[in-house]
Amino acid sequence: MNTQPRHPEAASPEPAVPARPADLWATVDALWTWLDADAAHGGREGLLLRILKLSEEVGEVAQAVIGATGQNPRKGVTHTWEDVQGELCDVVITALVALRTLTPEAEAVFARHLARVAERSVGRVREDGAGAR
Protein backbone atom coordinates (compact mmCIF):
# COMPACT_ATOMS: atom_id res chain seq x y z
CA MET A 1 0.00 0.00 0.00
CA ASN A 2 3.09 2.09 -0.34
CA THR A 3 2.70 4.69 -3.08
CA GLN A 4 6.44 5.11 -3.63
CA PRO A 5 8.14 2.75 -6.09
CA ARG A 6 10.66 0.47 -4.44
CA HIS A 7 14.09 0.23 -5.93
CA PRO A 8 16.65 -2.51 -5.24
CA GLU A 9 18.96 -0.15 -3.39
CA ALA A 10 16.12 1.08 -1.14
CA ALA A 11 14.79 -2.23 0.18
CA SER A 12 12.62 -1.91 3.27
CA PRO A 13 13.66 -3.90 6.33
CA GLU A 14 11.77 -7.09 7.13
CA PRO A 15 9.55 -6.98 10.22
CA ALA A 16 11.14 -8.44 13.34
CA VAL A 17 8.39 -11.05 13.71
CA PRO A 18 6.41 -11.81 10.56
CA ALA A 19 2.66 -12.23 10.98
CA ARG A 20 1.67 -15.88 11.40
CA PRO A 21 -1.40 -17.08 9.48
CA ALA A 22 -3.30 -17.16 12.79
CA ASP A 23 -2.66 -13.42 13.11
CA LEU A 24 -3.86 -12.65 9.56
CA TRP A 25 -7.43 -11.62 10.32
CA ALA A 26 -6.49 -9.75 13.50
CA THR A 27 -4.00 -7.78 11.40
CA VAL A 28 -6.60 -7.17 8.67
CA ASP A 29 -9.03 -5.90 11.34
CA ALA A 30 -6.34 -3.63 12.80
CA LEU A 31 -5.54 -2.20 9.37
CA TRP A 32 -9.25 -1.70 8.65
CA THR A 33 -9.73 0.09 11.98
CA TRP A 34 -6.70 2.29 11.37
CA LEU A 35 -7.82 3.22 7.84
CA ASP A 36 -11.40 3.92 8.90
CA ALA A 37 -10.27 6.16 11.78
CA ASP A 38 -8.59 8.54 9.34
CA ALA A 39 -10.78 8.03 6.24
CA ALA A 40 -11.45 11.14 4.18
CA HIS A 41 -14.61 9.51 2.80
CA GLY A 42 -17.07 7.19 4.45
CA GLY A 43 -20.11 5.19 3.48
CA ARG A 44 -20.54 3.93 -0.05
CA GLU A 45 -17.97 6.36 -1.46
CA GLY A 46 -15.34 5.20 1.03
CA LEU A 47 -16.07 1.56 0.20
CA LEU A 48 -15.79 2.19 -3.54
CA LEU A 49 -12.52 4.10 -3.10
CA ARG A 50 -11.10 1.32 -0.95
CA ILE A 51 -12.00 -1.24 -3.63
CA LEU A 52 -10.59 1.04 -6.34
CA LYS A 53 -7.29 1.07 -4.42
CA LEU A 54 -6.82 -2.49 -5.72
CA SER A 55 -6.34 -1.14 -9.25
CA GLU A 56 -3.57 1.13 -8.03
CA GLU A 57 -1.83 -1.77 -6.29
CA VAL A 58 -2.11 -4.04 -9.36
CA GLY A 59 -0.55 -1.23 -11.39
CA GLU A 60 2.37 -1.21 -8.97
CA VAL A 61 2.81 -4.96 -9.56
CA ALA A 62 2.96 -4.30 -13.30
CA GLN A 63 5.46 -1.49 -12.77
CA ALA A 64 7.65 -3.76 -10.64
CA VAL A 65 7.54 -6.60 -13.21
CA ILE A 66 8.47 -4.19 -15.99
CA GLY A 67 11.25 -2.84 -13.81
CA ALA A 68 12.51 -6.30 -12.83
CA THR A 69 12.67 -7.43 -16.45
CA GLY A 70 14.14 -4.17 -17.78
CA GLN A 71 11.35 -3.85 -20.34
CA ASN A 72 11.51 -0.07 -20.40
CA PRO A 73 14.69 0.71 -22.37
CA ARG A 74 14.75 4.26 -21.06
CA LYS A 75 14.83 3.11 -17.44
CA GLY A 76 16.43 -0.35 -17.60
CA VAL A 77 16.24 -2.62 -14.56
CA THR A 78 14.72 -0.63 -11.71
CA HIS A 79 13.16 -3.33 -9.50
CA THR A 80 13.93 -6.79 -8.19
CA TRP A 81 11.75 -9.89 -8.03
CA GLU A 82 11.60 -9.25 -4.28
CA ASP A 83 9.94 -5.93 -5.14
CA VAL A 84 7.39 -7.85 -7.20
CA GLN A 85 6.75 -10.14 -4.23
CA GLY A 86 6.16 -7.13 -2.00
CA GLU A 87 3.78 -5.53 -4.48
CA LEU A 88 1.83 -8.79 -4.80
CA CYS A 89 1.56 -8.87 -1.01
CA ASP A 90 0.23 -5.30 -1.10
CA VAL A 91 -2.48 -6.46 -3.55
CA VAL A 92 -3.49 -9.29 -1.21
CA ILE A 93 -3.52 -7.02 1.86
CA THR A 94 -5.52 -4.36 0.03
CA ALA A 95 -8.04 -6.96 -1.16
CA LEU A 96 -8.47 -8.41 2.33
CA VAL A 97 -8.96 -4.95 3.86
CA ALA A 98 -11.47 -4.10 1.09
CA LEU A 99 -13.34 -7.33 1.84
CA ARG A 100 -13.33 -6.44 5.55
CA THR A 101 -14.69 -3.01 4.65
CA LEU A 102 -17.52 -4.67 2.72
CA THR A 103 -18.42 -7.14 5.49
CA PRO A 104 -17.48 -7.72 9.13
CA GLU A 105 -17.69 -11.45 8.27
CA ALA A 106 -14.68 -11.20 5.91
CA GLU A 107 -12.85 -14.18 7.41
CA ALA A 108 -15.84 -16.52 6.98
CA VAL A 109 -16.66 -15.16 3.51
CA PHE A 110 -13.08 -15.68 2.38
CA ALA A 111 -12.85 -19.18 3.91
CA ARG A 112 -16.07 -20.28 2.17
CA HIS A 113 -14.99 -18.84 -1.16
CA LEU A 114 -11.51 -20.36 -0.93
CA ALA A 115 -13.04 -23.76 -0.16
CA ARG A 116 -15.32 -23.49 -3.22
CA VAL A 117 -12.42 -22.50 -5.48
CA ALA A 118 -10.25 -25.32 -4.13
CA GLU A 119 -13.04 -27.86 -4.55
CA ARG A 120 -13.74 -26.95 -8.17
CA SER A 121 -10.03 -26.78 -8.95
CA VAL A 122 -7.71 -29.09 -7.04
CA GLY A 123 -10.45 -30.99 -5.19
CA ARG A 124 -12.01 -32.63 -8.23
CA VAL A 125 -10.82 -36.10 -9.08
CA ARG A 126 -11.27 -37.76 -12.49
CA GLU A 127 -12.29 -41.38 -12.83
CA ASP A 128 -8.65 -42.40 -13.34
CA GLY A 129 -7.79 -40.87 -9.95
CA ALA A 130 -5.85 -37.88 -11.29
CA GLY A 131 -6.78 -34.44 -10.08
CA ALA A 132 -8.40 -32.05 -12.57
CA ARG A 133 -6.30 -29.22 -13.91
Side-chain angles (χ1 to χ4, degrees):
M1 305 211 268
N2 182 357
T3 58
Q4 298 298 315
R6 290 188 212 121
H7 298 282
E9 60 275 0
S12 59
E14 290 295 318
V17 178
R20 295 180 312 274
D23 298 333
L24 175 66
W25 289 103
T27 302
V28 169
D29 279 339
L31 289 168
W32 171 77
T33 300
W34 172 70
L35 287 168
D36 268 14
D38 199 29
H41 303 278
R44 183 179 176 114
E45 184 179 18
L47 170 64
L48 295 175
L49 289 168
R50 187 141 316 150
I51 293 170
L52 187 59
K53 177 76 172 150
L54 276 167
S55 293
E56 177 188 357
E57 296 298 340
V58 170
E60 291 177 12
V61 171
Q63 180 182 21
V65 169
I66 290 167
T69 58
Q71 290 302 299
N72 184 334
R74 184 174 53 82
K75 294 181 180 179
V77 175
T78 59
H79 291 72
T80 66
W81 287 106
E82 288 77 20
D83 294 326
V84 175
Q85 292 171 11
E87 296 300 345
L88 285 169
C89 289
D90 287 348
V91 169
V92 172
I93 293 164
T94 302
L96 292 176
V97 171
L99 180 60
R100 174 58 185 89
T101 302
L102 187 60
T103 176
E105 301 299 321
E107 182 176 2
V109 169
F110 183 77
R112 283 192 305 270
H113 189 77
L114 181 61
R116 283 193 302 268
V117 169
E119 177 60 30
R120 73 175 183 242
S121 303
V122 296
R124 295 188 338 204
V125 177
R126 298 188 319 229
E127 286 182 27
D128 65 4
R133 295 278 180 211

